[in-house]
Amino acid sequence: MRKRLLIGIVGLSFFGLSHIFAADWKTDIKVNLFPATLYIDGKAVSSSDRPGYYYNGTSYVPATIEYDGTMYVPLRLIGNQLNKQVGWDEQTYSAWLGQTPDLKKNTSPLPDVPGSTGDQANDAVAANSTPTAASSASVQSADSANPLMKPLIPKSEAPAVAGPNLYQVRLGDTEAQVIAKLGKPARREPSALGYDWLVYNKTIGTYVQVGVRAGKVVDIYSNSPAARLEQVGIGSTLQSLERKYKMDRKVSFRYGNSQIEMTNELKERPLVFSGDTALIFYLDTQNFQKVTGMRVVDKLVLLQGGFYETKWTYTGTTPNFNPPPLSPEEQDKITLAHEKQSLDLVNVIRYRYKLPTLTWNEQASEVARGHSNDMAANHFFDHVSQTTKLDPFGRLKKHGIQYQMAGENIAAGFPDSIEAFHALMNSPGHRKNIMEKGFTQLGVGVVADYYTQNFVTPQKQ
């Protein structure tokens, strides 16, 4: 199961370069990321084949970052070198190295951090003028010890007679019912979670995506201005959600033989239940946390997608909530679907703000795919390629794209284009590119979970 631990997003416009990292707090800060090599007692501790990085067991991550004159180092890296335990307690917001402290002695609540959901699983502690450790300890999921177990899907329960609907579509509806209500979709595209998206984009003001698996609806999403879900519409406030739904930091529910617990993200994308149906409301943190997108999602999809940090207990057979394996051909089709959906989502938000919609630029998309592939294959995350040393503008020019204006957004670590889009919109620099009135075209390149968006306005001939 995918674990959502740390997602970095970098935004670049024609004005210049800005580095922005978004962790679970989703607070934007400017940091300097450079390939510094860390030494302890004269011994280099970062990876020898990737200077300035170390391997955390799943991927290469920076060994150091610099923020406001202070150097930050992952606490796990220090713990590994000193052979000491690293821990994190989310109830008291305490991190430690070595012996586990007696946290019962400290019961004073910590103040809220602006922009924080209160669910941060990675923390950093600063000290003036000295290298400082930052915790990056991950939460172990129940499936970690059984990575080869085949997915166990409990028998589907009969859908409720009525439930929350989005554009009159409910979970459990048949594909025939969807087409009877909404008509024939503009596109049918695969998702990475084993179902197909029916994409309705012919009328941008009523844009909606309907996920269908085995002939039944399992996922519904819209960010269009006409979307409404149980009296909640685009522009509804967080306060109105809090009055209507039970909003808990920990969301618990049963699925088959498992008791599930998810860590909510109340300030950015709260997960709530209406009866037995899971709803996700995407909030616009740059516009007073108003609702800007909504999703009705099947429990299995919610588990397979890794949308939230998840723990579970079970009785009997060990469950495995990994998404189904994909062939290279299936993965190629899915990434192309993510690219097309990225354009749709950008155009819907531009339509809502009365901005000109963008047209597809295949040349710019090829450049974007090349950069996403470069990042995925060579394990880096930056606008400047570590292999070619070209920046976004150099890549565009190398491919013969002449522009008046250009900008680039990159993102990584998201399960689908919907999640990536909302994270980008909640970051000021990336939002500026998406909402720039002067841009006329967009090319998107997706490889695995690496996203590159190239915004361009071609030179006039």
Side-chain angles (χ1 to χ4, degrees):
M1 179 177 180
R2 184 190 302 274
K3 294 184 282 293
R4 197 167 185 271
L5 298 177
L6 180 66
I7 298 172
I9 308 171
V10 184
L12 177 115
S13 72
F14 62 100
F15 302 116
L17 184 66
S18 62
H19 291 256
I20 303 173
F21 286 81
D24 287 341
W25 280 357
K26 300 300 188 302
T27 300
D28 294 336
I29 60 173
K30 293 183 179 180
V31 302
N32 293 318
L33 174 60
F34 43 81
T37 301
L38 178 66
Y39 292 85
I40 296 180
D41 292 332
K43 179 182 177 182
V45 298
S46 54
S47 172
S48 59
D49 58 337
R50 290 293 310 282
Y53 290 77
Y54 85 102
Y55 191 70
N56 67 3
T58 58
S59 61
Y60 286 96
V61 297
T64 61
I65 61 173
E66 185 271 330
Y67 168 63
D68 198 21
T70 300
M71 189 70 69
Y72 291 80
V73 179
L75 190 59
R76 175 190 282 183
L77 175 58
I78 303 299
N80 288 346
Q81 297 303 312
L82 300 180
N83 198 25
K84 289 182 178 291
Q85 177 185 3
V86 172
W88 165 256
D89 182 76
E90 63 183 11
Q91 300 299 321
T92 61
Y93 283 75
S94 301
W96 64 88
L97 176 66
Q99 182 177 350
T100 303
D102 183 0
L103 299 176
K104 294 181 180 179
K105 294 180 180 179
N106 180 16
T107 58
S108 301
L110 294 179
D112 290 336
V113 178
S116 168
T117 65
D119 301 327
Q120 169 69 3
N122 303 295
D123 200 9
V125 183
N128 293 333
S129 304
T130 57
T132 309
S135 169
S136 61
S138 63
V139 177
Q140 194 73 13
S141 295
D143 65 343
S144 299
N146 300 279
L148 300 179
M149 289 291 293
K150 294 182 178 180
L152 174 66
I153 302 177
K155 293 181 180 179
S156 300
E157 299 177 359
V161 174
N165 73 83
L166 189 52
Y167 284 109
Q168 301 303 310
V169 177
R170 294 178 171 85
L171 295 185
D173 281 356
T174 66
E175 182 175 339
Q177 288 175 314
V178 175
I179 293 175
K181 294 174 182 178
L182 302 181
K184 185 178 179 180
R187 299 194 309 270
R188 185 188 189 100
E189 300 169 337
S191 81
L193 303 181
Y195 57 90
D196 286 348
W197 281 116
L198 308 183
V199 180
Y200 290 86
N201 70 347
K202 291 179 181 178
T203 305
I204 198 167
T206 55
Y207 179 81
V208 63
Q209 295 180 207
V210 180
V212 176
R213 173 159 45 199
K216 296 292 184 71
V217 173
V218 295
D219 199 353
I220 320 164
Y221 166 82
S222 181
N223 67 331
S224 62
R228 292 193 66 81
L229 181 57
E230 291 197 319
Q231 308 306 314
V232 176
I234 300 298
S236 294
T237 64
L238 173 59
Q239 291 72 26
S240 68
L241 292 179
E242 292 171 337
R243 288 192 296 268
K244 185 171 180 59
Y245 298 104
K246 185 180 180 182
M247 308 258 295
D248 295 324
R249 289 184 65 248
K250 301 290 185 180
V251 178
S252 299
F253 60 92
R254 287 202 65 82
Y255 184 79
N257 65 339
S258 301
Q259 180 64 35
I260 312 297
E261 181 184 270
M262 292 186 172
T263 300
N264 214 342
E265 296 186 17
L266 295 172
K267 302 299 183 182
E268 187 163 340
R269 48 189 199 110
L271 168 66
V272 301
F273 271 82
S274 176
D276 200 41
T277 303
L279 312 176
I280 300 175
F281 291 101
Y282 296 91
L283 305 182
D284 189 342
T285 63
Q286 306 301 305
N287 187 24
F288 306 102
Q289 291 179 300
K290 293 181 180 179
V291 173
T292 189
M294 52 192 69
R295 192 167 189 168
V296 187
V297 60
D298 175 83
K299 290 178 181 177
L300 179 59
V301 172
L302 190 64
L303 289 163
Q304 289 180 323
F307 297 102
Y308 299 87
E309 181 185 293
T310 303
K311 302 176 184 177
W312 63 84
T313 58
Y314 64 91
T315 56
T317 306
T318 304
N320 187 327
F321 300 123
N322 287 318
L326 301 171
S327 68
E329 294 77 14
E330 289 171 327
Q331 185 62 63
D332 287 344
K333 292 178 180 178
I334 289 165
T335 55
L336 288 174
H338 287 166
E339 293 174 1
K340 295 175 183 177
Q341 291 165 23
S342 294
L343 174 66
D344 286 337
L345 296 170
V346 166
N347 276 337
V348 172
I349 195 68
R350 289 175 69 94
Y351 172 85
R352 278 170 43 188
Y353 281 84
K354 303 186 186 310
L355 296 170
T357 56
L358 306 180
T359 58
W360 185 258
N361 185 315
E362 181 59 29
Q363 267 191 295
S365 181
E366 290 173 2
V367 176
R369 288 188 200 110
H371 188 56
S372 289
N373 184 67
D374 189 12
M375 291 190 292
N378 295 292
H379 308 289
F380 73 93
F381 183 72
D382 203 339
H383 288 291
V384 179
S385 169
Q386 290 190 4
T387 57
T388 68
K389 309 305 179 184
L390 291 175
D391 64 15
F393 310 119
R395 288 191 290 272
L396 291 172
K397 291 177 180 178
K398 180 180 178 180
H399 284 77
I401 299 176
Q402 302 298 318
Y403 56 84
Q404 298 179 52
M405 299 172 59
E408 181 180 87
N409 288 341
I410 60 175
F414 296 95
D416 59 25
S417 55
I418 295 169
E419 292 284 314
F421 167 77
H422 284 289
L424 290 167
M425 278 297 293
N426 280 337
S427 173
H430 310 86
R431 183 190 187 98
K432 178 171 175 50
N433 278 342
I434 292 170
M435 305 292 282
E436 171 56 52
K437 183 178 181 179
F439 287 138
T440 61
Q441 298 178 356
L442 175 62
V444 182
V446 180
V447 175
D449 59 359
Y450 286 82
Y451 287 72
T452 301
Q453 296 177 330
N454 282 341
F455 299 85
V456 295
T457 301
Q459 280 186 350
K460 294 180 179 179
Q461 299 297 327

